[in-house]
Amino acid sequence: RLELVKDLFVFSCYTGLSYTDVMNLNEDNITFGIDGGKWIITNRQKIHNNVKIPLLPIAEELIEKYKEHINTKKTKTLFPNTSNKKLNSSLKEIAYLCKIKKNLTCHIARHTFATTINSNGI
């Protein structure tokens, strides 16, 4: 369970997508861009706008990791489904085990994307 939680958090760090948007991703959201690279194209649920995000290698590895998972095959999503409440609770457990003082939540991953990945020109 903690491995999935870690993977979902890291995926959000590399895509900037919210919990809901990650849980709704499916294979139709992955496409090749004019640059020849893979991109995530999705409609953000909360604000209903279309976003295009380059699929960075680490994020792509995480998608591949869960491709054959029984729950992703059943739901046809890229990741096994878990509730936001369980995810955030598990993130708090990880933070405690790692002695991280920050209140670790799914939303923090989006901030990480904005301050590290996105601000470095990707």
Side-chain angles (χ1 to χ4, degrees), residues 14-83:
Y14 280 88
T15 62
L17 291 172
S18 68
Y19 158 81
T20 302
D21 294 329
V22 171
M23 288 293 102
N24 288 330
L25 287 176
N26 61 57
E27 287 186 21
D28 292 340
N29 297 116
I30 309 297
T31 189
F32 284 95
I34 58 172
D35 63 353
K38 287 186 180 177
W39 287 71
I40 297 171
I41 299 177
T42 187
N43 193 22
R44 295 234 15 251
Q45 186 169 337
K46 185 175 180 180
I47 56 176
H48 304 292
N49 70 335
N50 203 27
V51 293
K52 297 175 184 173
I53 304 160
L55 186 57
L56 299 174
I58 292 174
E60 186 172 4
E61 286 174 27
L62 292 172
I63 290 171
E64 286 298 316
K65 181 177 180 177
Y66 292 97
K67 198 171 208 161
E68 299 300 321
H69 192 282
I70 190 165
N71 289 338
T72 60
K73 287 182 165 273
K74 190 185 305 183
T75 61
K76 296 186 171 51
T77 56
L78 296 181
F79 294 101
N81 201 346
T82 185
S83 75

Side-chain angles (χ1 to χ4, degrees), residues 5 9 19 82-95 103-109:
V5 169
F9 184 83
Y19 158 81
T82 185
S83 75
N84 193 21
K85 184 176 181 177
K86 284 182 185 177
L87 189 58
N88 283 326
S89 176
S90 296
L91 284 170
K92 288 178 189 349
E93 184 179 341
I94 290 170
N103 183 23
L104 207 54
T105 65
C106 299
H107 196 70
I108 295 295

